[in-house]
Amino acid sequence: MKRYLTRNFDHPDAKTIAGYEKTGGYLAARKALQMRREEILGVVKESNLHGRGGAGFPVALKWSFLPANGRPRVLVVNGDEGEPGTFKDRQLMEQDPHQLLEGILIAAYAIQAHKVYIYIRGELGAAARMMENAIEEARRKGYIGPSCFGVDHPPEVIVRRGAGAYICGEETALLESLEGRQGFPRIRPPFPALVGAFGQPTIIHNVETLCALGHILRMGGQAYAALGTEREGGTRIFGVSGHVEKPGLYELPIGFNFGKLIHEVAGGVRRGKKLKAVFPGGSSTPVLLPSELDCPLSIEGVKKAGSAIGSGAVIAMDQTTCMVQVAWRLAGFYQHESCGQCVPCRIGTKRLLEILTRITRGHGQEGDLGLLREMGQVLQDSSRCGLGQTCPNAALSTLSKFRGEYEAHIREKRCPASACEALSPRRGKSRSGRV
Amino acid sequence: MAEDQFDLARLEPILKKYRGQEGALIPVLQEAQNLYGYLPEEVLVHLSRGLKIPLSRIYGVATFYTLFHLSPPGKYQLELCRSISCALCGSERIFRALEKELQIKRGETTADGLFTIQEVECLATCGMGPVMRLQDVIYENLTPAKARKIVEMLRKKG
């Protein structure tokens, strides 16, 4: 299968601007910056490119929300990769920084941004350094600066590093962080396209989304669209982790069969074990059963199967995994990462964790499962942002698909996967190791 | 605490660089922390005056983000991922190996101030779990033996 986004991953020379240009780099930006802006918008529209960060919003539609009021515009690159299971953006920045920068130049020109902020997760120091180097190289070449490909008013490009807060991957929390405050998500409307960074109209894109732009301009919108399904164009990077033989990043055409990704591309379940469940798009998407995986990997396909494609982070779990423990571990994550601004999420994540801790330790009570469901529903319905709304998905989906396992923990004080230590017949020596 | 560690004059170049820049509080705190290893109270007070930002807001930001430290951390912070993908691949064994090796629990610092074991969330390296981050380097595919070796190497370095 032809690779686009990851084509330079085994090509270390491409990390420098000279090496990147040898692979045809910056030709697309050169071409795009001679085009009229509406023409670029047209190509991107044809390409059926959807955002790759999780929400999956059509890119051309997002751009069309910008107001025509002449106010200075901002492009923000979301490199705050932190959803458990997601590890593509770090590699895109470290392995091929100029591919991202080329996409940034195209987008900034197309939307007339005067400023670009690349917000990179604080923990990913190497990625930030790679991007800073790439910017410096491009500046020396004149690709960023006063006469970039002959365009007036080229944008200023600034790298900002996060400081350790998962919530800042949420786009309005990211904007708050950019402005030097705690990452508290904003109430929408107004949407960032109208009032974004520093009050200016702002477009926010995931790293992978922008990386696709160069390829789209090079091959044309229709050719890119043809790589994918009818409604969603191109290829995307799936990060497969957990209990598979060959975990890693795989770039596949959108619409590729989900089961095939796990059982063939990623080498199947490791050590000949049986597959139990899969998170299809990161830890905040509902789990799918092995029988539900015969579906195309597209926004629509995975939605029909009962979950969401999210950030393309596929986490596979084999038969030795205790699903209650998985839910407990993720509840711990979301409780820690809740920003504490809105009440349902601040309190709800805490209660969710308490209930699940109780169950995995063997202190589960009759009624806990009802409480769990109710708490999950409150979080989904009334949290301010995506974190609170999606964080109960792991608990709710495992509860509905593996209810027997929860009941065994509560009623029989038994962990069917023999993974919960407190419930193990030989205390302290669990058979399959804790999740 | 040696006095030169709080040489507040060292903050001047940072203040000069970012003065007038919109929303620069986080990069300022990051650079200040690079100077002192953490963010002592004196430094926050000085920055508050220099940036004309209320101390309460600076304190709010410094305590919101986990990468800012208000007290000196161990010299080597072993940041071990506790997230789902690494957990599925056995990160708990690495935690236990390190706890045993260093005779401390997660979240604690050794008496000599050399090591801190920190539980952190996803380090965006899920295909290579279990992973540990140490000073911007991410160690992948850890085993208990590999983790002990890293500790040994750091001990020799001192």
Side-chain angles (χ1 to χ4, degrees), chain B residues 2-154:
Chain B
E3 213 149 82
D4 59 350
Q5 271 187 294
F6 292 145
D7 178 7
L8 297 173
R10 294 169 74 196
L11 291 170
E12 282 319 309
I14 302 174
L15 287 168
K16 208 170 141 197
K17 180 170 157 195
Y18 287 103
R19 196 164 279 148
Q21 256 194 52
E22 285 176 304
L25 176 57
I26 290 171
V28 167
L29 292 177
Q30 284 165 334
E31 292 200 20
Q33 181 162 285
N34 286 344
L35 284 181
Y36 304 99
Y38 70 110
L39 295 170
E41 194 182 324
E42 290 89 328
V43 169
L44 296 184
V45 171
H46 191 80
L47 290 177
S48 164
R49 289 190 191 125
L51 294 168
K52 296 196 171 61
I53 295 177
L55 185 58
S56 59
R57 213 187 110 201
I58 295 187
Y59 184 77
V61 168
T63 50
F64 182 84
Y65 295 95
T66 55
L67 295 180
F68 292 131
H69 306 292
L70 298 190
S71 57
K75 183 170 176 193
Y76 299 115
Q77 293 200 65
L78 307 172
E79 300 178 3
L80 210 48
C81 175
R82 72 173 293 278
S83 219
I84 183 74
S85 299
C86 284
L88 290 169
C89 295
S91 59
E92 192 55 34
R93 284 165 57 222
I94 315 297
F95 271 112
R96 288 184 188 181
L98 285 177
E99 285 174 336
K100 203 170 154 201
E101 179 72 23
L102 296 170
Q103 292 294 310
I104 50 171
K105 292 213 168 63
R106 51 202 89 181
E108 294 179 351
T109 303
T110 51
D112 58 7
L114 213 49
F115 294 99
T116 304
I117 302 177
Q118 239 178 343
E119 265 187 304
V120 298
E121 290 297 348
C122 189
L123 291 169
T125 314
C126 317
M128 285 70 86
V131 300
M132 177 172 87
R133 178 172 172 267
L134 172 68
Q135 295 168 339
D136 260 5
V137 178
I138 295 179
Y139 293 88
E140 302 166 350
N141 294 313
L142 282 179
T143 58
K146 229 165 147 179
R148 279 192 292 267
K149 236 186 215 154
I150 294 168
V151 168
E152 222 169 278
M153 176 197 79
L154 295 172

Side-chain angles (χ1 to χ4, degrees), chain A residues 262-263 269 273-278 290 293 316-319:
Chain A
I262 290 183
H263 296 296
V269 180
K273 295 242 166 60
K274 271 217 286 266
L275 189 65
K276 185 169 185 178
V278 178
L293 296 185
M317 294 165 280
D318 72 16
Q319 67 205 62

Side-chain angles (χ1 to χ4, degrees), chain A residues 126-393:
Chain A
R129 278 192 298 278
M130 285 306 290
M131 288 316 300
E132 271 162 0
N133 280 342
I135 291 166
E136 193 44 47
E137 280 185 311
R139 212 169 261 147
R140 259 183 267 135
K141 271 255 178 178
Y143 297 171
I144 298 176
S147 63
C148 127
F149 305 120
V151 174
D152 292 337
H153 311 299
E156 195 184 338
V157 183
I158 300 159
V159 172
R160 279 289 180 82
R161 289 183 65 175
Y166 165 76
I167 188 61
C168 293
E170 197 279 340
E171 58 182 24
T172 60
L174 190 157
L175 296 177
E176 286 290 302
S177 181
L178 263 189
E179 296 181 14
R181 288 188 290 273
Q182 286 107 313
F184 291 147
R186 297 176 180 172
I187 290 179
R188 279 149 290 191
F191 287 92
L194 291 180
V195 183
F198 305 102
Q200 295 166 353
T202 300
I203 292 291
I204 303 152
H205 283 310
N206 171 257
V207 165
E208 188 186 348
T209 315
L210 287 162
C211 286
L213 280 181
H215 303 283
I216 292 171
L217 268 293
R218 194 170 306 118
M219 69 173 88
Q222 282 173 357
Y224 183 83
L227 295 172
T229 61
E230 199 187 320
R231 314 250 319 245
E232 199 186 336
T235 60
R236 71 182 288 174
I237 303 176
F238 295 94
V240 187
S241 64
H243 296 149
V244 289
E245 283 288 351
K246 293 186 289 180
L249 295 173
Y250 299 101
E251 181 179 357
L252 297 168
I254 285 170
F256 193 85
N257 185 275
F258 198 163
K260 224 166 136 183
L261 166 61
I262 290 183
H263 296 296
E264 291 174 31
V265 179
V269 180
R270 63 177 195 186
R271 298 186 198 122
K273 295 242 166 60
K274 271 217 286 266
L275 189 65
K276 185 169 185 178
V278 178
F279 285 104
S283 63
S284 56
T285 57
V287 294
L288 291 178
L289 298 171
S291 59
E292 292 169 318
L293 296 185
D294 189 20
C295 69
L297 283 163
S298 64
I299 295 172
E300 248 184 338
V302 181
K303 193 173 168 195
K304 262 193 202 147
S307 187
I309 200 165
S311 56
V314 176
I315 307 170
M317 294 165 280
D318 72 16
Q319 67 205 62
T320 66
T321 315
C322 169
M323 300 316 288
V324 188
Q325 218 176 75
V326 167
W328 163 78
R329 184 165 288 277
L330 291 172
F333 169 70
Y334 291 109
Q335 188 270 320
H336 182 257
E337 298 300 336
S338 170
C339 76
Q341 182 183 210
C342 77
V343 178
C345 181
R346 182 174 68 231
I347 314 274
T349 52
K350 188 96 185 161
R351 294 289 100 88
L352 214 58
L353 177 62
E354 282 170 3
I355 300 168
L356 288 162
T357 305
R358 205 151 66 212
I359 300 175
T360 52
R361 300 273 156 84
H363 306 304
Q365 304 155 7
E366 266 326 301
D368 268 355
L369 298 185
L371 199 59
L372 198 63
R373 247 227 317 266
E374 201 184 320
M375 198 58 68
Q377 223 135 45
V378 170
L379 273 159
Q380 285 179 331
D381 292 344
S382 56
S383 298
R384 177 173 290 189
C385 81
L387 189 154
Q389 290 158 13
T390 60
C391 74
N393 281 341

